[in-house]
mmCIF file of all heavy atoms in Angstrom:
data_model
loop_
_atom_site.group_PDB
_atom_site.id
_atom_site.type_symbol
_atom_site.label_atom_id
_atom_site.label_comp_id
_atom_site.label_asym_id
_atom_site.label_seq_id
_atom_site.Cartn_x
_atom_site.Cartn_y
_atom_site.Cartn_z
ATOM 1 N N ARG J 12 85.182 112.434 103.734
ATOM 2 C CA ARG J 12 83.764 112.568 104.097
ATOM 3 C C ARG J 12 83.415 111.692 105.268
ATOM 4 O O ARG J 12 82.631 112.048 106.146
ATOM 5 C CB ARG J 12 82.891 112.191 102.893
ATOM 6 C CG ARG J 12 83.025 113.118 101.702
ATOM 7 C CD ARG J 12 82.207 112.594 100.532
ATOM 8 N NE ARG J 12 82.670 111.284 100.099
ATOM 9 C CZ ARG J 12 81.971 110.484 99.285
ATOM 10 N NH1 ARG J 12 80.765 110.850 98.873
ATOM 11 N NH2 ARG J 12 82.470 109.322 98.915
ATOM 12 N N MET J 13 84.021 110.507 105.308
ATOM 13 C CA MET J 13 83.728 109.581 106.384
ATOM 14 C C MET J 13 84.280 110.091 107.708
ATOM 15 O O MET J 13 83.659 109.938 108.754
ATOM 16 C CB MET J 13 84.318 108.202 106.074
ATOM 17 C CG MET J 13 84.083 107.200 107.179
ATOM 18 S SD MET J 13 84.902 105.645 106.850
ATOM 19 C CE MET J 13 84.734 104.922 108.487
ATOM 20 N N VAL J 14 85.477 110.695 107.652
ATOM 21 C CA VAL J 14 86.094 111.199 108.888
ATOM 22 C C VAL J 14 85.160 112.186 109.575
ATOM 23 O O VAL J 14 84.926 112.104 110.795
ATOM 24 C CB VAL J 14 87.455 111.859 108.577
ATOM 25 C CG1 VAL J 14 88.028 112.513 109.828
ATOM 26 C CG2 VAL J 14 88.427 110.820 108.040
ATOM 27 N N SER J 15 84.594 113.096 108.807
ATOM 28 C CA SER J 15 83.720 114.107 109.412
ATOM 29 C C SER J 15 82.373 113.528 109.803
ATOM 30 O O SER J 15 81.855 113.813 110.881
ATOM 31 C CB SER J 15 83.538 115.281 108.443
ATOM 32 O OG SER J 15 82.975 114.827 107.217
ATOM 33 N N ARG J 16 81.798 112.691 108.949
ATOM 34 C CA ARG J 16 80.462 112.159 109.243
ATOM 35 C C ARG J 16 80.479 111.181 110.404
ATOM 36 O O ARG J 16 79.521 111.095 111.168
ATOM 37 C CB ARG J 16 79.894 111.467 108.007
ATOM 38 C CG ARG J 16 79.588 112.413 106.859
ATOM 39 C CD ARG J 16 78.968 111.664 105.699
ATOM 40 N NE ARG J 16 78.833 112.512 104.525
ATOM 41 C CZ ARG J 16 78.268 112.112 103.380
ATOM 42 N NH1 ARG J 16 77.806 110.880 103.271
ATOM 43 N NH2 ARG J 16 78.189 112.947 102.362
ATOM 44 N N ALA J 17 81.569 110.388 110.513
ATOM 45 C CA ALA J 17 81.627 109.383 111.571
ATOM 46 C C ALA J 17 82.205 109.932 112.865
ATOM 47 O O ALA J 17 82.214 109.247 113.884
ATOM 48 C CB ALA J 17 82.467 108.191 111.105
ATOM 49 N N GLY J 18 82.732 111.166 112.831
ATOM 50 C CA GLY J 18 83.297 111.740 114.031
ATOM 51 C C GLY J 18 84.579 111.071 114.474
ATOM 52 O O GLY J 18 84.845 110.946 115.677
ATOM 53 N N LEU J 19 85.391 110.629 113.506
ATOM 54 C CA LEU J 19 86.644 109.963 113.844
ATOM 55 C C LEU J 19 87.672 110.970 114.345
ATOM 56 O O LEU J 19 87.727 112.121 113.890
ATOM 57 C CB LEU J 19 87.200 109.245 112.609
ATOM 58 C CG LEU J 19 86.392 108.052 112.084
ATOM 59 C CD1 LEU J 19 86.958 107.579 110.755
ATOM 60 C CD2 LEU J 19 86.397 106.916 113.090
ATOM 61 N N LYS J 20 88.495 110.541 115.297
ATOM 62 C CA LYS J 20 89.549 111.402 115.832
ATOM 63 C C LYS J 20 90.727 111.485 114.868
ATOM 64 O O LYS J 20 91.427 112.478 114.834
ATOM 65 C CB LYS J 20 90.027 110.866 117.176
ATOM 66 C CG LYS J 20 88.960 110.906 118.271
ATOM 67 C CD LYS J 20 89.521 110.358 119.581
ATOM 68 C CE LYS J 20 88.462 110.385 120.679
ATOM 69 N NZ LYS J 20 88.989 109.853 121.960
ATOM 70 N N SER J 21 90.958 110.397 114.118
ATOM 71 C CA SER J 21 92.102 110.341 113.230
ATOM 72 C C SER J 21 91.671 110.546 111.787
ATOM 73 O O SER J 21 90.648 110.017 111.350
ATOM 74 C CB SER J 21 92.820 108.995 113.361
ATOM 75 O OG SER J 21 93.906 108.932 112.459
ATOM 76 N N ALA J 22 92.478 111.346 111.063
ATOM 77 C CA ALA J 22 92.204 111.561 109.647
ATOM 78 C C ALA J 22 93.024 110.613 108.780
ATOM 79 O O ALA J 22 92.909 110.629 107.556
ATOM 80 C CB ALA J 22 92.511 113.001 109.263
ATOM 81 N N GLN J 23 93.853 109.794 109.407
ATOM 82 C CA GLN J 23 94.679 108.833 108.682
ATOM 83 C C GLN J 23 94.496 107.451 109.287
ATOM 84 O O GLN J 23 94.195 107.312 110.472
ATOM 85 C CB GLN J 23 96.156 109.221 108.734
ATOM 86 C CG GLN J 23 96.494 110.491 107.979
ATOM 87 C CD GLN J 23 97.972 110.790 108.026
ATOM 88 O OE1 GLN J 23 98.628 110.575 109.032
ATOM 89 N NE2 GLN J 23 98.517 111.286 106.915
ATOM 90 N N GLY J 24 94.689 106.423 108.447
ATOM 91 C CA GLY J 24 94.558 105.050 108.917
ATOM 92 C C GLY J 24 94.113 104.139 107.795
ATOM 93 O O GLY J 24 94.003 104.552 106.631
ATOM 94 N N ALA J 25 93.854 102.893 108.127
ATOM 95 C CA ALA J 25 93.396 101.898 107.158
ATOM 96 C C ALA J 25 91.993 101.457 107.541
ATOM 97 O O ALA J 25 91.787 100.899 108.629
ATOM 98 C CB ALA J 25 94.339 100.705 107.116
ATOM 99 N N LEU J 26 91.045 101.705 106.684
ATOM 100 C CA LEU J 26 89.660 101.340 106.941
ATOM 101 C C LEU J 26 89.435 99.872 106.637
ATOM 102 O O LEU J 26 89.773 99.396 105.539
ATOM 103 C CB LEU J 26 88.726 102.194 106.082
ATOM 104 C CG LEU J 26 87.240 101.812 106.091
ATOM 105 C CD1 LEU J 26 86.635 102.042 107.466
ATOM 106 C CD2 LEU J 26 86.479 102.596 105.019
ATOM 107 N N VAL J 27 88.906 99.125 107.579
ATOM 108 C CA VAL J 27 88.536 97.725 107.364
ATOM 109 C C VAL J 27 87.199 97.706 106.631
ATOM 110 O O VAL J 27 86.184 98.152 107.159
ATOM 111 C CB VAL J 27 88.436 96.958 108.699
ATOM 112 C CG1 VAL J 27 87.974 95.516 108.441
ATOM 113 C CG2 VAL J 27 89.779 96.961 109.420
ATOM 114 N N THR J 28 87.198 97.189 105.403
ATOM 115 C CA THR J 28 85.976 97.165 104.595
ATOM 116 C C THR J 28 85.301 95.805 104.557
ATOM 117 O O THR J 28 84.107 95.712 104.279
ATOM 118 C CB THR J 28 86.264 97.615 103.155
ATOM 119 O OG1 THR J 28 87.241 96.729 102.586
ATOM 120 C CG2 THR J 28 86.798 99.033 103.142
ATOM 121 N N ASP J 29 86.076 94.734 104.810
ATOM 122 C CA ASP J 29 85.488 93.398 104.787
ATOM 123 C C ASP J 29 86.387 92.445 105.562
ATOM 124 O O ASP J 29 87.614 92.601 105.557
ATOM 125 C CB ASP J 29 85.332 92.901 103.343
ATOM 126 C CG ASP J 29 84.380 91.713 103.234
ATOM 127 O OD1 ASP J 29 83.638 91.459 104.205
ATOM 128 O OD2 ASP J 29 84.387 91.051 102.181
ATOM 129 N N VAL J 30 85.788 91.457 106.218
ATOM 130 C CA VAL J 30 86.515 90.442 106.965
ATOM 131 C C VAL J 30 85.951 89.083 106.595
ATOM 132 O O VAL J 30 84.736 88.861 106.667
ATOM 133 C CB VAL J 30 86.401 90.667 108.496
ATOM 134 C CG1 VAL J 30 87.090 89.539 109.254
ATOM 135 C CG2 VAL J 30 87.008 92.002 108.885
ATOM 136 N N LEU J 31 86.825 88.167 106.174
ATOM 137 C CA LEU J 31 86.371 86.846 105.755
ATOM 138 C C LEU J 31 86.026 85.981 106.953
ATOM 139 O O LEU J 31 86.779 85.948 107.943
ATOM 140 C CB LEU J 31 87.445 86.139 104.932
ATOM 141 C CG LEU J 31 87.796 86.781 103.594
ATOM 142 C CD1 LEU J 31 88.902 85.992 102.919
ATOM 143 C CD2 LEU J 31 86.576 86.838 102.701
ATOM 144 N N PRO J 32 84.914 85.248 106.885
ATOM 145 C CA PRO J 32 84.549 84.340 107.983
ATOM 146 C C PRO J 32 85.629 83.298 108.223
ATOM 147 O O PRO J 32 86.176 82.720 107.279
ATOM 148 C CB PRO J 32 83.251 83.690 107.475
ATOM 149 C CG PRO J 32 82.711 84.634 106.455
ATOM 150 C CD PRO J 32 83.908 85.255 105.814
ATOM 151 N N GLY J 33 85.977 83.065 109.478
ATOM 152 C CA GLY J 33 86.955 82.050 109.838
ATOM 153 C C GLY J 33 88.393 82.456 109.619
ATOM 154 O O GLY J 33 89.304 81.659 109.847
ATOM 155 N N SER J 34 88.646 83.696 109.208
ATOM 156 C CA SER J 34 90.001 84.150 108.903
ATOM 157 C C SER J 34 90.715 84.628 110.169
ATOM 158 O O SER J 34 90.091 84.873 111.212
ATOM 159 C CB SER J 34 89.944 85.300 107.898
ATOM 160 O OG SER J 34 89.323 86.437 108.494
ATOM 161 N N PRO J 35 92.063 84.786 110.117
ATOM 162 C CA PRO J 35 92.783 85.364 111.255
ATOM 163 C C PRO J 35 92.244 86.734 111.651
ATOM 164 O O PRO J 35 92.224 87.083 112.835
ATOM 165 C CB PRO J 35 94.228 85.449 110.735
ATOM 166 C CG PRO J 35 94.333 84.345 109.736
ATOM 167 C CD PRO J 35 92.988 84.316 109.055
ATOM 168 N N ALA J 36 91.803 87.526 110.662
ATOM 169 C CA ALA J 36 91.254 88.844 110.974
ATOM 170 C C ALA J 36 89.977 88.729 111.801
ATOM 171 O O ALA J 36 89.758 89.493 112.747
ATOM 172 C CB ALA J 36 90.986 89.612 109.681
ATOM 173 N N GLU J 37 89.124 87.765 111.463
ATOM 174 C CA GLU J 37 87.898 87.585 112.248
ATOM 175 C C GLU J 37 88.222 87.102 113.659
ATOM 176 O O GLU J 37 87.606 87.548 114.639
ATOM 177 C CB GLU J 37 86.961 86.587 111.560
ATOM 178 C CG GLU J 37 85.616 86.464 112.286
ATOM 179 C CD GLU J 37 84.751 85.353 111.719
ATOM 180 O OE1 GLU J 37 85.222 84.205 111.663
ATOM 181 O OE2 GLU J 37 83.594 85.646 111.361
ATOM 182 N N ARG J 38 89.226 86.199 113.756
ATOM 183 C CA ARG J 38 89.607 85.714 115.085
ATOM 184 C C ARG J 38 90.211 86.820 115.945
ATOM 185 O O ARG J 38 90.177 86.745 117.176
ATOM 186 C CB ARG J 38 90.587 84.535 114.939
ATOM 187 C CG ARG J 38 89.953 83.287 114.325
ATOM 188 C CD ARG J 38 90.849 82.063 114.484
ATOM 189 N NE ARG J 38 92.025 82.114 113.637
ATOM 190 C CZ ARG J 38 92.067 81.648 112.404
ATOM 191 N NH1 ARG J 38 90.978 81.103 111.848
ATOM 192 N NH2 ARG J 38 93.193 81.716 111.682
ATOM 193 N N ALA J 39 90.757 87.855 115.286
ATOM 194 C CA ALA J 39 91.291 88.999 116.030
ATOM 195 C C ALA J 39 90.200 90.014 116.355
ATOM 196 O O ALA J 39 90.489 91.073 116.914
ATOM 197 C CB ALA J 39 92.395 89.669 115.221
ATOM 198 N N ASP J 40 88.962 89.689 116.020
ATOM 199 C CA ASP J 40 87.809 90.545 116.299
ATOM 200 C C ASP J 40 87.868 91.865 115.533
ATOM 201 O O ASP J 40 87.392 92.892 116.011
ATOM 202 C CB ASP J 40 87.673 90.814 117.803
ATOM 203 C CG ASP J 40 86.248 91.247 118.186
ATOM 204 O OD1 ASP J 40 85.313 90.898 117.440
ATOM 205 O OD2 ASP J 40 86.091 91.933 119.211
ATOM 206 N N LEU J 41 88.462 91.815 114.324
ATOM 207 C CA LEU J 41 88.362 92.967 113.436
ATOM 208 C C LEU J 41 87.012 92.931 112.732
ATOM 209 O O LEU J 41 86.539 91.866 112.342
ATOM 210 C CB LEU J 41 89.496 92.944 112.409
ATOM 211 C CG LEU J 41 90.917 93.142 112.942
ATOM 212 C CD1 LEU J 41 91.919 93.040 111.806
ATOM 213 C CD2 LEU J 41 91.054 94.472 113.653
ATOM 214 N N LYS J 42 86.425 94.109 112.566
ATOM 215 C CA LYS J 42 85.097 94.192 111.949
ATOM 216 C C LYS J 42 85.080 95.323 110.926
ATOM 217 O O LYS J 42 85.798 96.325 111.074
ATOM 218 C CB LYS J 42 84.026 94.433 113.011
ATOM 219 C CG LYS J 42 83.804 93.262 113.954
ATOM 220 C CD LYS J 42 82.704 93.571 114.965
ATOM 221 C CE LYS J 42 82.327 92.334 115.775
ATOM 222 N NZ LYS J 42 83.477 91.805 116.542
ATOM 223 N N PRO J 43 84.255 95.166 109.878
ATOM 224 C CA PRO J 43 84.121 96.251 108.906
ATOM 225 C C PRO J 43 83.698 97.539 109.600
ATOM 226 O O PRO J 43 82.843 97.548 110.490
ATOM 227 C CB PRO J 43 83.018 95.741 107.964
ATOM 228 C CG PRO J 43 83.098 94.251 108.071
ATOM 229 C CD PRO J 43 83.456 93.973 109.493
ATOM 230 N N GLY J 44 84.324 98.642 109.194
ATOM 231 C CA GLY J 44 84.032 99.937 109.802
ATOM 232 C C GLY J 44 85.089 100.385 110.777
ATOM 233 O O GLY J 44 85.204 101.585 111.055
ATOM 234 N N MET J 45 85.855 99.448 111.302
ATOM 235 C CA MET J 45 86.966 99.831 112.173
ATOM 236 C C MET J 45 88.066 100.498 111.345
ATOM 237 O O MET J 45 88.245 100.183 110.162
ATOM 238 C CB MET J 45 87.547 98.607 112.879
ATOM 239 C CG MET J 45 86.648 97.994 113.920
ATOM 240 S SD MET J 45 87.467 96.559 114.707
ATOM 241 C CE MET J 45 86.278 96.189 116.005
ATOM 242 N N VAL J 46 88.812 101.390 111.999
ATOM 243 C CA VAL J 46 89.945 102.043 111.352
ATOM 244 C C VAL J 46 91.203 101.693 112.133
ATOM 245 O O VAL J 46 91.301 101.979 113.334
ATOM 246 C CB VAL J 46 89.769 103.571 111.302
ATOM 247 C CG1 VAL J 46 90.993 104.219 110.648
ATOM 248 C CG2 VAL J 46 88.506 103.938 110.556
ATOM 249 N N VAL J 47 92.151 101.044 111.469
ATOM 250 C CA VAL J 47 93.411 100.693 112.113
ATOM 251 C C VAL J 47 94.314 101.921 112.070
ATOM 252 O O VAL J 47 94.677 102.406 110.992
ATOM 253 C CB VAL J 47 94.094 99.499 111.414
ATOM 254 C CG1 VAL J 47 95.405 99.156 112.118
ATOM 255 C CG2 VAL J 47 93.163 98.296 111.397
ATOM 256 N N VAL J 48 94.672 102.449 113.248
ATOM 257 C CA VAL J 48 95.460 103.677 113.321
ATOM 258 C C VAL J 48 96.894 103.416 113.778
ATOM 259 O O VAL J 48 97.758 104.281 113.594
ATOM 260 C CB VAL J 48 94.785 104.702 114.262
ATOM 261 C CG1 VAL J 48 93.445 105.139 113.672
ATOM 262 C CG2 VAL J 48 94.601 104.129 115.657
ATOM 263 N N GLU J 49 97.144 102.221 114.391
ATOM 264 C CA GLU J 49 98.497 101.880 114.811
ATOM 265 C C GLU J 49 98.738 100.391 114.580
ATOM 266 O O GLU J 49 97.815 99.581 114.690
ATOM 267 C CB GLU J 49 98.727 102.187 116.300
ATOM 268 C CG GLU J 49 98.817 103.651 116.650
ATOM 269 C CD GLU J 49 99.110 103.850 118.135
ATOM 270 O OE1 GLU J 49 99.475 102.858 118.815
ATOM 271 O OE2 GLU J 49 98.972 104.989 118.614
#
């Protein structure tokens, strides 16, 4: 449902749902809602 509603190009990937403050993920500028495709 999200793929169609959000207009994503990829139907596969890992959805980022949460990022902890001060974590390596936050320092890499990952944000909730992004989809990691590679």
